[in-house]
């Protein structure tokens, strides 16, 4: 595997080792917070704070994982042998700058307190991800919401999932104070759990379809619509007589 192939593994590795475990802990802590609020069980006073902190970590982890996947898509196309990256180095630099700005926006969202600032940095983060994701280098099964491929797309379900995470993070003070926001928070988390399952399925599927860098020239000659590949070339010609190294004598 080359360096770009190892880079392609950063996105799934981060999701598997960090996002899903932290999300599981966040859900468990959320259940404990609800039981504490309803008086069902007695919980330590730090449980609500731990739940909020885990929510912050998992949201930041999701955004970083998405940015890694997007940046990989751009860089892999730019270094692909025999393929010219549309827009050249200037466009690639601009895309990387947008990715860096999106990272700054999520970091700022973790720090700001005022509602207007929380809303602004939430929109900036999501807009950055949507802008990067709309580029032609990003693999999307379909952009038509009336097609089945759209709803089985790893990208589009990921976009919705990230938006829900960002909304919950931005509205944390309102969720704490208002019943209506808490109900919306619970409903969004149920949808988040469904989307996480969808992401696990579609992500595993897409990993099977992404060839290693050295395999791309052969794989891309296949007809993906009809699911056929060209016949392999003829076997290498036999070595010319006398060209083989003579076997050592046993005598």
């Amino acid at each position: 595997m080359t360096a770009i192939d190892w880079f392609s593994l950063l996105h799934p590795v981060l999701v598997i080792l960090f996002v899903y475990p932290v999300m599981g802990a966040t859900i468990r802590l959320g259940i404990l917070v609800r039981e504490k609020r309803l008086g069902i069980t007695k919980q330590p006073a730090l449980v609500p704070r731990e739940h909020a902190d885990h929510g912050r970590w998992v949201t930041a982890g999701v955004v970083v994982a998405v940015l890694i996947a997007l940046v990989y898509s751009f860089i892999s196309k730019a270094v692909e042998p025999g393929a010219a990256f549309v827009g050249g180095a200037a466009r690639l630099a601009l895309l990387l700058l947008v990715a860096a700005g999106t990272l700054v926006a999520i970091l700022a969202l973790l720090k700001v307190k005022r509602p207007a600032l929380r809303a602004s940095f939430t929109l900036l983060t999501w807009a950055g991800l949507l802008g990067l994701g709309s580029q032609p280098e990003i693999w999307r099964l379909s952009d038509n919401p009336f097609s089945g491929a759209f709803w089985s797309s790893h990208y589009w379900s990921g976009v919705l999932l990230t938006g829900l995470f960002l909304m919950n993070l931005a509205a944390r003070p309102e969720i704490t104070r208002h019943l209506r926001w808490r109900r919306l928070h619970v409903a969004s988390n149920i949808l988040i759990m469904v989307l996480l399952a969808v992401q696990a399925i579609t992500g595993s599927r897409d990993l099977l379809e992404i060839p290693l860098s050295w395999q791309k020239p052969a794989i891309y000659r296949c007809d993906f619509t009809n699911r056929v590949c060209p016949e392999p070339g003829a076997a290498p010609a036999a070595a010319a007589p006398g060209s083989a190294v003579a076997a050592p004598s046993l005598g």
Side-chain angles (χ1 to χ4, degrees):
M1 290 176 62
T2 64
I4 194 65
D5 295 325
W6 284 109
F7 185 31
S8 70
L9 294 180
L10 287 181
H11 170 76
V13 166
L14 178 59
V15 171
I16 293 170
L17 293 183
F18 182 80
V19 171
Y20 277 89
V22 176
M23 186 60 198
T26 306
I27 293 171
R28 175 58 180 161
L29 288 168
I31 294 173
L32 296 179
V33 170
R34 181 171 176 80
E35 291 179 351
K36 176 182 175 67
R37 182 178 292 115
L38 297 177
I40 298 174
T41 59
K42 293 183 179 180
Q43 301 295 335
L46 288 178
V47 167
R49 178 54 185 254
E50 288 291 322
H51 174 60
D53 286 344
H54 278 68
R56 287 157 53 89
W57 300 338
V58 74
T59 302
V62 167
V63 172
V64 170
V66 173
L67 284 175
I68 289 174
L70 295 173
V71 170
Y72 160 74
S73 298
F74 299 135
I75 294 178
S76 64
K77 294 294 184 182
V79 301
E80 187 174 307
F85 187 78
V86 178
R91 177 170 172 266
L92 178 61
L94 178 60
L95 292 172
L96 296 180
L97 183 62
V98 173
T102 304
L103 181 61
V104 171
I106 183 60
L107 294 176
L109 177 59
L110 296 173
K111 297 293 184 180
V112 296
K113 304 297 183 184
R114 295 175 57 184
L117 291 177
R118 284 187 276 121
S120 298
F121 284 115
T122 297
L123 291 175
L124 283 174
T125 303
W126 205 34
L129 295 177
L130 286 172
L132 293 170
S134 66
Q135 303 303 310
E137 291 79 13
I138 304 303
W139 171 252
R140 303 185 299 274
L141 288 179
S142 173
D143 291 333
N144 180 11
F146 298 103
S147 68
F150 177 90
W151 298 104
S152 62
S153 171
H154 187 71
Y155 168 78
W156 284 113
S157 58
V159 164
L160 178 56
L161 177 66
T162 307
L164 291 173
F165 272 120
L166 290 170
M167 181 193 72
N168 285 333
L169 175 60
R172 185 174 67 85
E174 287 73 20
I175 293 170
T176 303
R177 292 192 296 262
H178 304 294
L179 177 60
R180 183 176 298 177
W181 276 100
R182 287 199 295 272
R183 289 174 175 171
L184 180 61
H185 178 60
V186 171
S188 67
N189 279 338
I190 293 174
L191 181 54
I192 282 174
M193 288 187 286
V194 173
L195 289 173
L196 284 172
V198 172
Q199 287 292 99
I201 296 170
T202 58
S204 301
R205 177 203 63 198
D206 288 355
L207 280 177
L208 294 175
E209 299 179 353
I210 300 176
L212 296 175
S213 56
W214 61 270
Q215 296 172 335
K216 289 182 178 180
I219 298 296
Y220 288 166
R221 287 200 297 267
C222 297
D223 184 344
F224 292 93
T225 302
N226 297 316
R227 299 182 181 180
V228 294
C229 291
E231 292 294 329
S243 62
V245 177
S249 172
L250 299 178

